[in-house]
Amino acid sequence: MESDQEDEVPNVNFVPSLLFVKRGVAKANPDKVTLTPAELARIINETREDLEEEGAEGMDTSDDEENEDSERSLAERAGRLAAMNADGTGEGTDEYNFDSYEQETGTTGLHLSTVAVIDPTENIQDDEDSDAEDEIIKPTDNLILVGHVQNESASMEVYIYNEEEGSLYIHHDFLLPSPPLCIEWLSFDAGSDKPGNMCAIGCMEPIITIWDLDIQDSLEPVCKLGSKGSRKKNLPKLGHTDAVLDISWNHHLQHILASGSVDQTVILWDLEEGTPHTTIRDFGEKVQTLAFHPKRAETLLVGSCDGKVKVFDCRSTTDDSSSYKMWDLGGEVERVCWDHFNQNCFVASTNDGKMHYIDSRQDERPLWSKEAHEKEVTGLVLSAHVKGMLSTASADGSLKVWDIDEQDARMVYQKNPKIGVIQCLGECDESPFTLALGGDLKTKNFCVVNLLDNDIGKLRPLTSQPFVTCELIVILCFTVSNVFKSRHVANVSDSSCEPPTEEMEEATIEDE
C-alpha cells in the first residue's frame, strides 16, 4: 500500500539562508552528544519556563488550555528524569520498558520466510559500510549550512558537498526555535585556545545562537548572544529586541561579531564576554545587510531599508556617536559585499532590482548603477577569487552572472534554476564557479550549480530527504570559462588588496 504521507507536499517549505564552509576545518568524525537525564530535564524545564513566560506576556492564558496541558506534561517528564538521575538506579522509572525490550515475545504478521528464500552461500552486502563512509567528513569535503523551514519546524541542515565525487547529502542538522534568517561561520571559540568550527545563526527571535559544527545531535547552542529578559528571574533584556537579519564576523579581530536587526540597530559583540560592546543606532529603518571589510578590520559596511548604505569607522564609533560615510540608493538595500580586488569599492543591491557599484572614497553618486532584475536582488556574491565575477539572484527566480569593473557591468549568463523565489546565494571558497541557491518552491528549494561543468549526470543527490534536490546546470560554460577562468587566483592575497593596518592587527575591542 502506498503511503499518502510520503507524497504529501508541505504547505511551507523554503530555504531562507545558506553558507559554504571551507574545506579542512571540520572534524573527520564529529563528536556525538549523549545527554544525561539531568541535562535533558534541565532543557525541558528551561523550555517550559520560556513558554510560560512568553505565554504570560503575549497571550490570554485562559484560552490556552492546550498549552497548559503541554507544559504540565513537560514538567512531569522532567521530574521523572530528575528523579531517575537522583537515585542512580532508575528502578521503577523505565517508562518505555527498555529493560525487557529484548525479552518481549510475540508473533508478527509477516515473516521474512514468507517473502523471500535466501541462499545461505550468497554474500549479500548491506549499506552499513556505505553509511559509515558517508559519516566521515573528508578533507576534500565542503560543508554547506542550509537554513530550512518546513511547515512549523525550523532547522539548519549540514550538507556534505564533494566536488570531486559529485556527492551532496545531509550529514546532520540542528533544530532551531524559529526560521534562520542568516548564517555566519567563525573559527573563534571563546572556550578554547584553538580554532573552532562554529557558526552563528540569526533568527526571527532577537537571540543569536552559536553552534559547534563538530558536535552532532546537540539540542542547544554552545552560546547565546542576547537575552529577552525575565521578570521571574529578574534578568534584564540584552542585545537586540527584534529579529536578526544579518551577521558578519571580523576575520582580523576575531572576538568581534557584528549583527543587524529589525530593531534598527547594529551591535558589535564581544565574543569573549558574550555581551554587546557597541550599539549603533544611526538608522531610520531595519538593518538588512552588513559586512566587515576583508582587509581593513575597522571598516564595516551596512545597508538598511531606508535606502541608505553606510561605511562605518569602528575606531571612532561608540554607543552615543559614530563616524560614517553615506550614500542614498533610493530602494531598500537588500545585500552588500566588498570587492576583494579593489579595496575601496563595494556592491549593493536594492529591492527595485538594481545593483550599484560604489567607491567609498567618493561621497557623491555610485560609479554605476544597473537594472539587474525585475524584482529585489536577494543574492549578491562578488567573487573573492575571480576578478570581476559578480553573481546575482532575485525574487524573480533568476540567476545571473556579470563581468564588472569600475565602468560598467556586462551580463555573461542568465538562468532560471526553477526553485521559486530565490532567497539566498552562496559561493564555494575553493571553487568559486560553484554556487548554492535557496528558494521557496515547495517541491525543490535548494540546488548547487557548477558554472563550468557541462556533465549533467555527474552530480547526483545522495539524500533521501524529500523536496531537496541537487542539480548541475549548464551555464553556457564556454562563455563563462572564456571570460573568467584565466582571472582565477587560488589565493586572494594575490589580488590588489592591502594587508590589514598594523594598528588594527594589534587592536582590541576596547580600541574601538
Side-chain angles (χ1 to χ4, degrees), residues 152-164:
E152 296 180 356
S153 66
S155 64
M156 187 191 71
E157 298 164 341
V158 181
Y159 277 79
I160 298 295
Y161 169 70
N162 190 290
E163 185 179 32
E164 295 177 358

Side-chain angles (χ1 to χ4, degrees), residues 96-118:
Y96 300 106
N97 198 28
F98 287 126
D99 290 340
S100 59
Y101 175 76
E102 295 183 355
Q103 285 73 43
E104 288 182 0
T105 60
T107 304
T108 61
L110 189 65
H111 293 274
L112 184 61
S113 59
T114 66
V115 179
V117 176
I118 305 299

Side-chain angles (χ1 to χ4, degrees), residues 160-162 164-169 455-463 469-472:
I160 298 295
Y161 169 70
N162 190 290
E164 295 177 358
E165 300 174 358
S167 58
L168 179 73
Y169 58 92
D455 182 4
I456 296 180
K458 180 182 178 183
L459 188 59
R460 60 196 183 281
L462 297 182
T463 173
T469 63
C470 173
E471 179 181 289
L472 271 187

Side-chain angles (χ1 to χ4, degrees), residues 255-313:
H255 60 294
I256 301 177
L257 188 78
S259 60
S261 171
V262 174
D263 65 14
Q264 303 181 21
T265 68
V266 167
I267 293 180
L268 301 180
W269 296 88
D270 182 351
L271 295 178
E272 290 181 334
E273 301 295 332
T275 57
H277 179 271
T278 304
T279 301
I280 306 173
R281 298 180 174 84
D282 297 281
F283 308 99
E285 252 289 359
K286 59 185 178 183
V287 178
Q288 192 148 253
T289 177
L290 48 78
F292 275 112
H293 195 283
K295 295 296 181 181
R296 298 172 177 169
E298 72 275 16
T299 304
L300 179 64
L301 173 62
V302 183
S304 53
C305 289
D306 57 3
K308 309 292 195 304
V309 62
K310 300 176 181 179
V311 175
F312 287 86
D313 185 344

Side-chain angles (χ1 to χ4, degrees), residues 49-50 52-58 227-237:
E49 290 173 0
D50 290 341
E52 285 178 346
E53 189 147 350
E54 289 180 6
E57 291 179 356
S227 171
K228 297 179 183 179
S230 173
R231 295 179 181 176
K232 290 184 178 180
K233 299 178 182 179
N234 196 27
L235 296 176
K237 291 183 178 180

